[in-house]
């Protein structure tokens, strides 16, 4: 057993130095992902496993987004065949029921997060993305961040900015980053019918799931939408506690991110 006296300043300096080292490696990322739900964690894991410098920024203290609550707090989620593969990739146990597969929501969060971290993703919890960074021809080239606690307290504290070759909006139903880009860049239009973010449509699980991968696109130079944010941008339906589309959307977002990084390198 270690007999050195326990030093509070030592503990503090270990925390600060370790944080500063890791955070210092995020000044120029390949991919900044906003939101640690199923879509964001899946995209992050796949890209980091390929060697990209990837960070996920999550406003809350906990990762997992909408997975935890399962369906109406029953801690289970459901996928069909297509999404099953991605869950099995990270070791989530599934029980089969005639083409449907059921998983424990807590296990799903834990294994998605652990696999992402093992692949090399840096996850910053308690950090909100309040804006994007813009350069040449209004291309998105980074994120503007602040502590979630600062945001919640409504304090006037200037944020910090980090560069990224592309940004993935995986913020869920609100599509916060996509909405912000449209609001703040004069004349900005997305490749949707009316160029705006109309929001998701009422629940229709089959159509919502089917549309999601196709909706996972670069909607503005350097900005990809994934997960429910993609369905909100393209006015597709919500789908409740069926999650396969979220994992597949994360996988598609990783492919689109790769294309953007190659284009910009
Ligand atoms: O909502 P969320 O889980 O997004 P998703 O990956 O998955 C949707 C499903 O959970 C479910 C569903 C299934 O059919 O519809 O809802 O599309 O995770 C989004 C995460 O983003 C965080 C938020 O706290 C949540 O954990 N988030 C949202 N805005 C910001 C943010 C922001 N501006 N900065 C940081 N984190």
């Amino acid at each position: 057993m270690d007999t050195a006296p326990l030093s509070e300043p030592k503990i503090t300096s270990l925390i600060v130095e370790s944080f500063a080292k890791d955070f210092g490696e995020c000044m120029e990322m390949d991919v900044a992902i906003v939101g640690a739900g199923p879509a964001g964690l899946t995209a992050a894991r796949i890209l980091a496993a390929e060697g990209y410098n990837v960070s996920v920024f999550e406003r809350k203290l906990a990762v997992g987004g909408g997975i935890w609550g399962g369906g109406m707090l029953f801690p289970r989620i459901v996928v069909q065949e297509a999404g099953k593969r991605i869950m099995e990739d990270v070791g989530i146990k599934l029980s089969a029921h005639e083409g449907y597969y059921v998983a424990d929501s807590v296990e799903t969060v834990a294994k998605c997060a652990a696999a992402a971290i093992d692949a090399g993703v840096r996850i910053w919890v308690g950090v909100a993305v309040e804006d994007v960074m813009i350069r040449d021809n209004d291309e998105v080239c980074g994120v503007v961040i602040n502590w979630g606690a600062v945001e919640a307290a409504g304090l006037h504290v200037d944020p910090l900015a980090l560069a990224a070759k592309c940004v993935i909006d995986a913020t869920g139903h609100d599509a916060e980053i996509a909405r912000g880009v449209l609001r703040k860049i004069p004349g900005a239009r997305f490749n949707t019918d009316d160029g705006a973010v109309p929001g998701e449509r009422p629940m229709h699980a089959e159509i919502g799931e089917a549309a999601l991968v196709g909706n996972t696109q670069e909607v503005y130079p350097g900005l990809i939408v994934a997960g429910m944010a993609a369905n909100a941008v393209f006015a597709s339906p919500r789908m409740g506690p069926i999650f396969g589309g979220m994992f597949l959307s994360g996988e598609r977002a990783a492919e689109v991110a790769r294309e953007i990084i190659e284009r910009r390198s």
Side-chain angles (χ1 to χ4, degrees):
M1 188 166 148
D2 194 346
T3 51
L6 196 54
S7 158
E8 290 88 344
K10 179 70 180 169
I11 295 168
T12 304
S13 73
L14 286 172
I15 288 174
V16 172
E17 283 162 20
S18 170
F19 174 87
K21 180 184 165 296
D22 275 357
F23 192 55
E25 287 167 18
C26 301
M27 299 302 113
E28 297 192 1
M29 297 168 280
D30 292 315
V31 190
I33 300 180
V34 192
L41 287 175
T42 301
R45 171 179 59 81
I46 292 170
L47 287 161
E50 291 167 7
Y52 293 105
N53 178 338
V54 185
S55 272
V56 177
F57 300 92
E58 169 55 54
R59 152 187 295 143
K60 295 184 181 161
L61 279 181
V63 298
I67 302 173
W68 294 106
M72 214 185 85
L73 288 184
F74 296 104
R76 298 288 182 274
I77 63 166
V78 176
V79 296
Q80 289 178 299
E81 196 65 40
K84 174 178 173 259
R85 168 181 53 82
I86 297 177
M87 297 179 80
E88 286 177 340
D89 283 349
V90 298
I92 297 164
K93 295 186 289 299
L94 295 158
S95 62
H97 305 267
E98 296 163 350
Y100 295 86
Y101 299 87
V102 181
D104 180 286
S105 61
V106 177
E107 178 183 352
T108 303
V109 173
K111 289 187 173 166
C112 286
I117 292 164
D118 286 347
V121 176
R122 291 193 179 88
I123 303 180
W124 303 100
V125 291
V127 177
V129 173
E130 58 174 58
D131 204 351
V132 292
M133 219 161 82
I134 293 291
R135 281 295 178 279
D136 315 325
N137 302 320
D138 284 347
E139 294 206 359
V140 171
C141 63
V143 286
V144 177
I145 60 169
N146 217 325
W147 299 115
V150 163
E151 183 188 62
L155 302 177
H156 182 172
V157 176
D158 271 327
L160 293 174
L162 306 172
K165 294 190 180 120
C166 72
V167 173
I168 300 178
D169 179 347
T171 60
H173 298 256
D174 294 334
E176 277 191 33
I177 307 305
R179 282 185 201 279
V181 164
L182 283 185
R183 200 174 55 244
K184 290 197 174 180
I185 302 179
R189 285 180 63 79
F190 289 168
N191 48 345
T192 54
D193 285 348
D194 58 3
V197 179
E200 70 195 21
R201 293 293 180 247
M203 190 180 296
H204 191 317
E206 186 166 4
I207 294 182
E209 280 275 286
L212 188 44
V213 172
N215 290 344
T216 305
Q217 298 182 26
E218 182 183 17
V219 287
Y220 193 81
L223 177 68
I224 300 165
V225 288
M228 257 336 279
N231 274 13
V233 164
F234 285 96
S236 295
R238 66 186 306 188
M239 61 285 250
I242 178 102
F243 272 71
M246 298 301 150
F247 297 114
L248 293 166
S249 172
E251 184 177 63
R252 175 68 190 140
E255 283 168 19
V256 181
R258 225 177 277 131
E259 289 161 17
I260 297 173
I261 293 166
E262 274 167 31
R263 190 180 79 213
R264 288 185 160 180
S265 294

